Amino acid sequence: MKFIVLPHSKLQGKKDKNSGTDTLTFRVNPFLLGPDSKDRKSAVTFLNLEHNDPTKQN
């Protein structure tokens, strides 16, 4: 499962600042999420965080 996040900051009276994109990747084991599962904490595992700088426009 991947989530793409567009972090930015906006200070009052300032222009929006885009700091790029972050991609968070998780592994989800649906068999460990079932009603009979005793160890749900291990059903979702963080795999990777990738940050990409914003593209510069001319």
Side-chain angles (χ1 to χ4, degrees), residues 3 5 31 36 41:
F3 293 94
V5 181
F31 299 107
D36 296 331
K41 291 182 182 181

Side-chain angles (χ1 to χ4, degrees), residues 16-58:
D16 279 343
K17 181 181 179 186
N18 182 352
S19 59
T21 60
D22 292 335
T23 303
L24 298 147
T25 307
F26 297 89
R27 177 179 51 232
V28 180
N29 186 336
F31 299 107
L32 294 177
L33 291 173
D36 296 331
S37 176
K38 295 179 183 176
D39 188 22
R40 290 182 179 206
K41 291 182 182 181
S42 65
V44 179
T45 306
F46 174 76
L47 296 177
N48 189 31
L49 167 65
E50 180 181 333
H51 175 75
N52 295 304
D53 291 329
T55 56
K56 294 183 179 182
Q57 297 177 353
N58 294 328

Side-chain angles (χ1 to χ4, degrees), residues 6-20 54-55 57:
L6 302 169
H8 69 280
S9 64
K10 181 172 182 175
L11 300 174
Q12 190 173 11
K14 301 272 183 172
K15 191 176 179 181
D16 279 343
K17 181 181 179 186
N18 182 352
S19 59
T55 56
Q57 297 177 353

